């Protein structure tokens, strides 16, 4: 798989990141190396091997349906960049 | 042939149902709706660094209940996945869902349109978390975010593209809504958003095996709007095709005020969700024992109950299906008939006076407070001939609703409604009625037997409706024929 400008731009957009041209060149090289590494793993024949979907052996770590652990609105809003008494505030999503 | 008749409509529905758990899917915040924004929040809901989600076991139970009720295969090895996208009301930047292993697969929902029954196949049902709410109109300069709903458990129910008319889609949603409320896993309120529906719609020429390009219509906030939106979108798609243009794959929104749809986004800027396995939540396994336990805990489902009512209790099809529309009504009927064995009369009372009363007071069955035992006493009194149905439904029933603490028999006596079965007093009224109309009595004797109704009516009037009409008719017969 070839890592080209188009792919880097697409990934940057999906991750909401922005880089200048120098950074983009470096990222292209790094990404190419990562993909080569994974391609190497792909050489292994995994026919009949179940895909690993989780790293730990733990299962069914569940909780009972109980209400606990909530914090107050005031505490919740405290660290927000912009907020009023009731809401988190973000730039207008829908422009009227 | 009308232009529309050339085409076959193909519809698949995605229905999101909010589960009636106390707490959220992965943390202990209340899952209830609240008008106070950002009061059901915790560091997990807010996606603060270092927090760890933990799965609510009740959500699994509810998902399995629905899965079994709609004949699904239940996945016993479940994993979570992340669906990545940025939106301000999604604090983590991803939604936790079951991309790879939906908890329920296959299955079907039986619908009935007119006299035709069909099974609508299901593709999958999976567990996922809801997003928060973005409010665009409370602040001129900002979008306001309320995270109360973020993390509330949802089941997404995905049908196969198996429906071919808006009527079928309407019947499907109605049936699903009935089932989730019947099971007590969702309140089924579409207007308040606890049930939401997206429709995938395409058209093709009849006989064409290939599916047409589909359009997804969102924002269908009532069962009626699902039907209206499909109808208007199908006409749009036919219009495009007939004018020789191509349908483009896109997501549209339904505007109920104008009964029209408008484009939200096209396939070119379709989302790329980059699903991957969720490492923060452990997988969960469902054992055979657990499945048996849940199966045994299921209530009798509407379809089976309806069958029981028509086949064993001999209720008419219509009565049985109305009672099985609503779990509370069915539960009431069950209790009512544990006190009185005249099933048809009990059904008549529920579908007649009780429904009428609820319609008049514009309230649902859940607000009907008359204990079933008291209504049963009423049914029994009519059945035993102590009270006419007319008196019981028009006088005693409303009086009993106004004073539910009173005993029906005592109240009937107090209101002087009990039928006169003493033949000597009835005989007096009968004699009086005959004496009032000697000419009619003579005509009767000459053969105008239909006139007996006239005398019966007169006795009814004289007795103020309290005479037992069976005795009245017997006496009238005897007297008119022998005098």
């Amino acid at each position: 798989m070839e890592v080209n400008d188009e792919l880097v731009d697409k990934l940057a957009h999906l991750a909401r990141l922005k880089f200048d041209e120098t950074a983009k060149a470096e990222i292209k090289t790094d990404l190419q190396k990562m993909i080569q590494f994974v391609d190497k793993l792909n050489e292994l024949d995994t026919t009949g091997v179940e895909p690993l979907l989780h790293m730990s052996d733990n299962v069914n770590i569940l909780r009972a349906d109980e209400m606990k652990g909530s914090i107050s609105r005031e505490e919740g809003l405290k660290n927000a960049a912009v907020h009023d008494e009731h809401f988190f505030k973000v730039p207008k999503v829908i422009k009227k | 042939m009308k232009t529309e008749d050339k085409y076959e409509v193909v519809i698949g529905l995605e229905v999101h149902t909010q589960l009636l758990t106390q707490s959220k899917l992965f943390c202990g915040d209340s899952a209830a709706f609240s008008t106070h924004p950002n009061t059901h929040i915790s560091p997990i809901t807010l996606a603060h660094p270092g927090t760890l989600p933990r799965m609510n076991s009740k959500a699994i139970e509810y998902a399995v209940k629905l899965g079994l009720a709609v004949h699904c295969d239940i996945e016993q090895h479940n994993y979570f996945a992340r669906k990545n996208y940025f939106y301000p009301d999604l604090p983590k930047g991803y939604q936790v869902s079951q991309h790879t292993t939906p908890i329920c697969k296959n299955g079907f929902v039986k619908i009935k349109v007119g006299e035709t029954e069909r099974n609508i196949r299901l593709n999958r049902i999976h567990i996922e978390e809801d997003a928060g709410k973005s409010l665009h109109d409370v602040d001129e300069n900002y979008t306001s975010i309320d995270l109360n709903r973020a993390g509330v458990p949802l089941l997404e129910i995905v049908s196969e593209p198996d429906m071919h008319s808006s009527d079928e889609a309407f019947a499907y949603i109605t049936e699903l809504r009935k089932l989730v409320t019947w099971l007590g896993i969702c309140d089924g309120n579409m207007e308040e958003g606890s049930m939401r529906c997206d429709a995938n719609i395409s058209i093709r020429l009849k006989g064409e095996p290939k599916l047409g390009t589909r359009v997804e219509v969102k924002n269908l906030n009532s069962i009626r709007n699902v039907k209206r939106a499909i109808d208007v979108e199908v006409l749009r798609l036919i219009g495009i095709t007939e004018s020789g243009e191509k349908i483009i794959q896109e997501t549209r929104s339904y505007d109920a005020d104008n009964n029209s749809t408008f484009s939200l986004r096209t396939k070119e800027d379709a989302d790329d969700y980059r699903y991957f396995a969720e490492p923060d939540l452990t997988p969960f396994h469902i054992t055979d024992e657990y499945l048996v336990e849940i199966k045994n805990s299921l209530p009798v489902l509407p379809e089976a109950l309806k069958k029981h009512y028509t086949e064993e209790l001999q209720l008419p099809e219509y009565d049985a299906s109305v009672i099985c529309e609503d779990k509370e009504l069915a539960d009431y009927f069950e209790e009512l008939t544990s006190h009185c064995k005249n099933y048809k009369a009990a059904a008549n009372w529920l579908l007649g006076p009780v429904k009428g009363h609820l319609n008049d007071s514009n309230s649902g069955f859940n607000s009907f407070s008359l204990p079933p035992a008291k209504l049963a006493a009423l049914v029994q009194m009519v059945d035993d001939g102590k009270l006419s149905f007319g008196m019981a439904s028009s006088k005693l029933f409303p009086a009993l609703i106004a004073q539910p603490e009173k005993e029906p028999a005592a109240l009937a006596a107090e209101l002087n409604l009990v039928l006169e079965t003493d033949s000597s007093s009835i005989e007096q009224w009968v004699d009086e009625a005959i004496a009032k109309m000697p000419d009619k009595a003579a005509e009767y004797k000459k053969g105008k037997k239909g006139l007996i109704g006239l005398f019966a009516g007169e006795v009814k009037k004289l007795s103020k409706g309290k005479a037992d009409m069976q005795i009245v008719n017997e006496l009238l017969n005897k007297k008119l024929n022998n005098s």
Side-chain angles (χ1 to χ4, degrees):
Chain A
M1 185 183 185
E2 193 214 332
V3 180
N4 52 24
D5 280 354
E6 198 191 335
L7 180 65
V8 174
D9 288 345
K10 187 186 167 207
L11 292 174
H13 172 71
L14 285 171
R16 301 294 187 270
L17 294 173
K18 247 185 201 162
F19 341 101
D20 57 29
E21 287 306 314
T22 335
K24 200 196 265 185
E26 278 174 41
I27 282 166
K28 241 161 67 175
T29 321
D30 289 350
L31 267 181
Q32 192 69 64
K33 282 184 189 156
M34 287 181 226
I35 286 172
Q36 270 165 11
F37 172 72
V38 177
D39 278 343
K40 183 78 194 159
L41 294 180
N42 274 342
E43 289 171 17
L44 199 68
D45 182 7
T46 54
T47 318
V49 178
E50 283 287 309
L52 180 73
L53 290 174
H54 201 268
M55 294 297 288
S56 111
D57 290 331
N58 289 326
V59 289
N60 293 4
I61 312 289
L62 307 173
R63 60 182 185 85
D65 182 24
E66 287 163 4
M67 285 196 276
K68 59 179 172 194
S70 291
I71 58 174
S72 70
R73 174 158 64 196
E74 201 184 1
E75 284 176 285
L77 293 172
K78 201 165 67 182
N79 294 315
V82 189
H83 64 88
D84 64 10
E85 274 179 83
H86 299 108
F87 293 103
F88 297 92
K89 300 284 183 177
V90 300
K92 273 274 183 202
V93 177
I94 292 180
K95 299 223 162 56
K96 294 225 162 156
Chain B
M1 187 162 98
K2 274 167 71 188
T3 317
E4 288 101 282
D5 296 338
K6 289 200 314 209
Y7 295 95
E8 179 183 53
V9 181
V10 179
I11 305 160
L13 294 179
E14 289 170 21
V15 178
H16 288 88
T17 54
Q18 262 178 19
L19 295 180
L20 281 174
T21 52
Q22 296 292 309
S23 65
K24 290 186 180 176
L25 191 52
F26 301 124
C27 71
D29 293 335
S30 166
F33 177 81
S34 167
T35 49
H36 304 288
N38 294 305
T39 50
H40 300 166
I41 55 170
S42 64
I44 293 179
T45 294
L46 300 179
H48 282 192
T51 52
L52 261 189
R54 204 169 190 194
M55 177 68 184
N56 184 340
S57 53
K58 201 79 182 171
I60 301 173
E61 180 190 321
Y62 285 178
V64 172
K65 275 189 169 167
L66 180 60
L68 291 174
V70 292
H71 323 278
C72 288
D73 305 323
I74 307 295
E75 172 63 62
Q76 294 187 265
H77 297 278
N78 288 268
Y79 297 86
F80 289 103
R82 291 184 181 183
K83 175 180 178 175
N84 298 281
Y85 66 94
F86 288 113
Y87 206 76
D89 56 28
L90 186 77
K92 294 193 292 291
Y94 57 84
Q95 179 193 30
V96 177
S97 172
Q98 287 191 299
H99 182 62
T100 320
T101 58
I103 187 161
C104 311
K105 273 187 287 195
N106 307 318
F108 62 88
V109 172
K110 187 183 264 184
I111 62 162
K112 193 172 176 188
V113 175
E115 285 309 303
T116 316
E117 279 191 336
R118 277 194 64 214
N119 290 338
I120 304 302
R121 290 170 303 150
L122 296 177
N123 176 287
R124 53 146 64 193
I125 300 174
H126 67 250
I127 302 171
E128 62 182 30
E129 58 178 338
D130 210 341
K133 265 186 193 155
S134 299
L135 297 103
H136 307 289
D137 49 6
V138 296
D139 188 324
E140 216 182 311
N141 303 309
Y142 294 99
T143 291
S144 302
I145 306 292
D146 173 10
L147 295 178
N148 281 345
R149 203 181 65 182
V152 166
L154 296 177
L155 290 182
E156 179 172 337
I157 305 156
V158 184
S159 84
E160 293 291 350
D162 242 7
M163 285 159 268
H164 299 293
S165 68
S166 60
D167 287 331
E168 287 192 345
F170 186 92
Y172 170 81
I173 305 249
T174 307
E175 194 59 30
L176 258 191
R177 185 174 176 277
K178 178 166 92 187
L179 274 174
V180 294
T181 52
W182 193 276
L183 293 169
I185 65 172
C186 173
D187 68 19
N189 192 325
M190 286 190 80
E191 284 74 12
E192 279 175 16
S194 36
M195 236 182 123
R196 306 192 284 273
C197 177
D198 304 334
N200 286 301
I201 307 167
S202 64
I203 56 164
R204 61 181 168 193
L205 284 171
K206 281 185 179 158
E208 166 68 49
K210 240 179 72 198
L211 288 170
T213 305
R214 75 188 155 90
V215 169
E216 182 176 7
V217 181
K218 289 182 173 288
N219 198 18
L220 308 173
N221 61 357
S222 72
I223 298 186
R224 194 170 146 260
N225 280 347
V226 172
K227 185 173 152 54
R228 293 175 73 209
I230 291 172
D231 284 336
V232 72
E233 184 60 16
V234 165
L235 285 179
R236 196 187 69 89
L237 294 178
I238 291 174
I240 293 173
T241 312
E242 284 291 310
S243 68
E245 282 169 59
K246 271 196 121 150
I247 292 165
I248 48 165
Q249 186 174 337
E250 60 181 340
T251 304
R252 301 177 70 85
S253 180
Y254 178 65
D255 177 354
D257 294 334
N258 300 316
N259 189 30
S260 63
T261 65
F262 60 92
S263 181
L264 287 175
R265 54 180 182 269
T266 54
K267 199 193 172 186
E268 282 76 60
D269 41 44
D271 300 299
D272 179 349
Y273 292 124
R274 293 148 294 142
Y275 289 97
F276 67 88
E278 161 64 276
D280 283 352
L281 284 153
T282 64
F284 67 90
H285 290 177
I286 292 173
T287 62
D288 294 339
E289 293 75 30
Y290 183 80
L291 279 180
V292 171
E293 192 188 310
I294 299 296
K295 200 167 207 160
N296 292 338
S297 78
L298 286 179
V300 182
L301 296 172
E303 204 190 332
L305 196 62
K306 198 175 129 190
K307 201 164 170 226
H308 167 66
Y309 288 165
T310 50
E311 288 179 6
E312 278 142 65
L313 305 191
Q314 305 286 318
L315 290 187
E317 169 86 16
Y318 174 79
D319 295 25
S321 52
V322 174
I323 292 170
C324 295
E325 286 296 307
D326 179 347
K327 179 81 163 41
E328 278 167 341
L329 185 59
D331 285 346
Y332 193 95
F333 182 74
E334 286 292 306
E335 215 183 316
L336 184 60
T337 50
S338 74
H339 296 286
C340 85
K341 295 294 164 213
N342 190 339
Y343 305 119
K344 176 62 185 139
N348 286 347
W349 269 91
L350 283 187
L351 304 193
V354 175
K355 279 241 161 186
H357 160 73
L358 291 172
N359 287 345
D360 290 346
S361 56
N362 210 356
S363 45
F365 196 79
N366 53 0
S367 61
F368 185 63
S369 56
L370 188 65
K374 296 215 168 163
L375 185 59
L378 219 76
V379 179
Q380 198 59 51
M381 281 166 77
V382 176
D383 222 31
D384 292 345
K386 292 192 183 116
L387 209 59
S388 71
F389 176 78
M391 282 292 189
S393 60
S394 65
K395 300 262 163 57
L396 186 54
F397 178 64
L400 205 53
I401 286 172
Q403 309 169 74
E405 70 287 350
K406 296 226 166 154
E407 284 308 317
L411 192 58
E414 190 185 314
L415 296 173
N416 203 16
L417 300 172
V418 181
L419 281 181
E420 188 59 74
T421 52
D422 171 18
S423 39
S424 64
S425 32
I426 293 181
E427 198 168 351
Q428 270 182 23
W429 288 318
V430 167
D431 290 341
E432 207 176 315
I434 294 173
K436 248 182 154 176
M437 304 178 277
D439 46 336
K440 300 285 178 205
E443 280 181 46
Y444 177 89
K445 246 178 276 180
K446 280 184 203 150
K448 272 187 100 176
K449 300 294 177 200
L451 283 172
I452 192 159
L454 188 71
F455 292 101
E458 186 61 27
V459 175
K460 204 171 181 177
K461 222 192 298 174
L462 290 168
S463 72
K464 297 191 174 67
K466 280 174 55 193
D468 184 321
M469 293 315 285
Q470 206 179 332
I471 302 175
V472 171
N473 280 316
E474 276 168 24
L475 279 173
L476 276 172
N477 250 319
K478 201 167 87 192
K479 297 203 173 230
L480 284 169
N481 288 321
N482 299 334
S483 62

